[in-house]
Amino acid sequence: MTPSRPLHGEPDGARPGTAGGTRTIALPGLPNVRDSGGLSGPGRTRLRRGVLLRGPAPSPGTAPALDGLGVRTVVDLRLQAEREVENGPADTHAQVLHRPVWGDMSGIRGTTRPLQSAYLANYRSMLAVAAPVAVEVIGLLARTGPAPVYVCCTVGKDRTGVVCALVLRGLGVRLADVANDYALTGRAYRALRPEDPRPNWSYQGTLAELRARTAAPAATMRALLSGIEREHGAVGGFLERHGLAPRTRRNAVARVFEPCVRPERTRPCP
């Protein structure tokens, strides 16, 4: 197994994808892995690289790739039944936190091309379970060292998308950035070619079906977060109702953001 090492620039064997710029990390057999670093934060700041990574759950064969990224904590959102089929995170050097998240899949199951309204309903139904997990992730970011936290579910789209969106928006990342980051999942799976290696979970259907089920319009995530903000004033306030301490949030913000500077002009980004 490859020894763990910190993330500095692009990891060995990774190539930046065009969809997410250098935030996309291309790993054979692990589509949709990306670094959240670079997203716009409060004031004129941006999220640091190597802090919060997201993607699909690895298989035992692809798990060493997470060690190669320096990951020290994996937050696995899958149910126990899913882990019994494929438990790649156990083959990493990372601490693995099992935090199952689930929602109402009635509008999605049995449909090859579910409507986005069904996904939005699913996301809303999982908020009560996802919010405490997002609070815990923010706590990890507030107190852990420089090694990144990796959040995963099966494909890294729905449960991972909701938890990461709550974390990012709760820390003050711009709504447009959070929604567009979610949309990169659809672009990642549309870019898959028939010859590209895929995790075992994707072999159950055709590539066309996989692309259809991983469509991720930014408007879907924007609607979810906007609804939370209309009801609770802010995602941060919503998370406080689920146990997020203001001090923890402040500590996380201080640790994960850095001043945004345009190198060519050496002045803050807008």
Side-chain angles (χ1 to χ4, degrees), residues 138 142 169-172 236 240 244-254:
I138 291 175
R169 188 62 177 152
L171 291 175
E240 287 182 12
L244 178 61
R247 180 177 179 179
T248 300
R249 182 183 180 279
R250 290 195 298 270
N251 289 343
V253 168

Side-chain angles (χ1 to χ4, degrees), residues 129-165:
V129 181
V133 180
V135 169
E136 185 174 8
V137 172
I138 291 175
L140 289 171
L141 298 179
R143 66 177 181 268
T144 55
V149 174
Y150 184 79
V151 180
C152 65
C153 55
T154 304
V155 303
K157 178 207 168 192
D158 299 321
R159 291 167 289 183
T160 297
V162 171
V163 169
C164 286

Side-chain angles (χ1 to χ4, degrees), residues 118-140:
Y119 280 111
L120 181 56
N122 178 35
Y123 297 170
R124 287 171 173 159
S125 72
M126 70 173 68
L127 284 176
V129 181
V133 180
V135 169
E136 185 174 8
V137 172
I138 291 175
L140 289 171

Side-chain angles (χ1 to χ4, degrees), residues 116 119 123 157-158 182 185-186 190 210-217:
Q116 285 304 308
Y119 280 111
Y123 297 170
K157 178 207 168 192
D158 299 321
Y182 165 79
T185 289
R190 287 199 305 272
L210 176 63
R211 288 170 175 164
R213 296 185 72 87
T214 52

Side-chain angles (χ1 to χ4, degrees), residues 67-179:
D67 291 324
L69 296 176
V71 172
R72 295 293 189 274
T73 305
V74 175
V75 181
D76 188 345
L77 307 177
R78 297 175 302 156
L79 305 178
Q80 181 177 349
E82 296 172 282
R83 299 198 304 270
E84 290 173 353
V85 173
E86 188 75 274
N87 197 19
D91 289 285
T92 69
H93 286 124
Q95 174 192 25
V96 182
L97 303 179
H98 300 302
R99 301 294 185 264
V101 172
W102 63 91
D104 181 4
M105 297 281 290
S106 59
I108 298 173
R109 288 195 182 98
T111 304
T112 57
R113 294 179 180 274
L115 298 174
Q116 285 304 308
S117 59
Y119 280 111
L120 181 56
N122 178 35
Y123 297 170
R124 287 171 173 159
S125 72
M126 70 173 68
L127 284 176
V129 181
V133 180
V135 169
E136 185 174 8
V137 172
I138 291 175
L140 289 171
L141 298 179
R143 66 177 181 268
T144 55
V149 174
Y150 184 79
V151 180
C152 65
C153 55
T154 304
V155 303
K157 178 207 168 192
D158 299 321
R159 291 167 289 183
T160 297
V162 171
V163 169
C164 286
L166 292 175
V167 169
L168 293 170
R169 188 62 177 152
L171 291 175
V173 173
R174 290 194 312 178
L175 176 60
D177 274 21
V178 177

